[in-house]
Amino acid sequence: MTSDVNDRNAIIIEEFRANAGKVGGPFEGRNMLLLHNTGAKSGAERVNPLVYQALDANFAVFASKGCAPTNPAWYYNLVANPDITIEVGTETLDVRARVAAAEERDQIWTRQKEEISTFADYEAATSRVIPVVVLERR
């Protein structure tokens, strides 16, 4: 399964870079970014394509992992190594990741579910609270 996800992500990353941050398929019309992160255990460099929500000059991403019962690996990588870069459109930005606390998380998450109903489906299909990670420009 991991190989399938990696293959799918590689295709999305290639399309993102070839089209100034735009991708098609299920992500057509969505705000997408590429999250560069370092493996918390492995130290390996990773790139994950993610849907984001704009927060003024910053960004929020969602550790939904579909509706899996566990957080995605990139979430733990950001907790361990919060100073990262992201690609948004044709720009590469330095950001610091932080997990949004309760009230802030709830506001961002509610807006995300309203804008993209799939996120409400993810929430309904898992018993965990899906973390919201804020990426603040450095």
Side-chain angles (χ1 to χ4, degrees):
M1 167 128 170
T2 301
S3 180
D4 291 344
V5 170
N6 289 340
D7 292 346
R8 205 168 343 146
N9 282 350
I11 292 167
I12 295 168
I13 291 165
E14 184 179 331
E15 183 179 2
F16 180 99
R17 289 179 173 153
N19 296 296
K22 305 287 184 212
V23 297
F27 300 110
E28 186 157 0
R30 304 279 188 237
N31 291 330
M32 296 285 299
L33 60 76
L34 300 183
L35 181 91
H36 294 252
N37 56 104
T38 303
K41 293 179 184 176
S42 69
E45 294 298 319
R46 312 254 188 240
V47 179
N48 299 90
L50 299 173
V51 169
Y52 73 88
Q53 182 184 125
L55 304 175
D56 296 319
N58 299 316
F59 310 87
V61 292
F62 309 92
S64 59
K65 195 177 178 182
C67 53
T70 59
N71 293 325
W74 63 258
Y75 170 81
Y76 299 105
N77 295 345
L78 295 184
V79 170
N81 302 297
D83 291 327
I84 61 163
T85 59
I86 58 173
E87 294 175 55
V88 181
T90 58
E91 289 185 274
T92 299
L93 306 169
D94 292 325
V95 297
R96 172 166 280 201
R98 66 174 175 78
V99 178
E103 186 177 328
E104 179 187 29
R105 181 240 174 243
D106 291 347
Q107 289 175 350
I108 295 167
W109 181 247
T110 296
R111 180 174 158 208
Q112 189 67 14
K113 291 186 300 181
E114 289 168 355
E115 291 180 1
I116 304 175
S117 63
T118 307
F119 284 88
D121 298 339
Y122 295 156
E123 181 179 60
T126 188
S127 60
R128 69 185 172 91
V129 174
I130 296 172
V132 172
V133 179
V134 176
L135 308 173
E136 298 175 324
R137 291 178 191 247
R138 293 189 278 140

